[in-house]
Amino acid sequence: MTDLELRAADARELGAVLAFWATAAENASRPPDTPAALAALHLRDPDALIVAVDRGRIVGTIIAGWDGWRCHLYRLAVHPERRRAGIGRALIDAAESRIRALGGTRIDAMVLDDNPRAHAIWAARGYRRQDDWSRWIKPL
Ligand SMILES: CC(C)(COP(=O)(O)OP(=O)(O)OC[C@H]1O[C@@H](n2cnc3c(N)ncnc32)[C@H](O)[C@@H]1OP(=O)(O)O)[C@@H](O)C(=O)NCCC(=O)NCCS
């Protein structure tokens, strides 16, 4: 963990982030990520995509989205060879710091029901599942 740097992603790193997600992120039950979608996020809110970088290599990511009204966390992922070393925890902490600084008062994360690893880390960081809501979606 000593060389780990947590910071906003640079526009030139977006391709590397997409490649990282292909192997490290939860990719089930969702549309594929595209360069255009990630570029649009970065253009709108360049600080939302936080990367964990170790000696120039991306080893973790999280998106800390803030729309002025609500805060949402997405794309928490840690390199498979670097898990259980506190990187996920550090990413969540960095995301919460950003949202706190922006004035957010509550934060939520999109988590698949059948992803027990994810349940474990969100629970360990103080998040709880909200059972009286479900997500309603409509592809555009
Ligand atoms: C989920 C994920 C991000 C965890 O990242 P990580 O860097 O390994 O997590 P940390 O080392 O910071 O773990 C923090 C705590 O979370 C819990 N935790 C994390 N992974 C766990 C696992 N596989 N089993 C049980 N508990 C786990 C533990 O309480 C852990 O603390 P401990 O190591 O002191 O016991 C990582 O496994 C991952 O990238 N998975 C694939 C993508 C994914 O599912 N993302 C979540 C989308 S919602």
Side-chain angles (χ1 to χ4, degrees), residues 9-11 13-21 32-46 48-51 58 61-63 75:
D10 185 273
E13 292 175 308
L14 300 185
V17 168
L18 285 169
F20 173 77
W21 284 345
D33 299 306
T34 64
L38 193 56
L41 167 75
H42 198 265
L43 195 62
R44 184 182 183 283
D45 186 354
L49 173 59
I50 299 169
V51 286
I58 294 173
T61 63
I62 195 167
I63 295 173
R75 295 319 249 160

Side-chain angles (χ1 to χ4, degrees), residues 24-26 76-78 82-89 110-111 115 117-118 120-122 124:
E26 169 60 77
L76 170 65
V78 172
R82 302 293 302 271
R83 290 180 185 162
R84 295 311 290 270
I87 297 176
R89 184 185 322 138
M110 300 295 306
V111 186
N115 187 348
R117 274 186 311 218
I121 190 168
W122 292 115

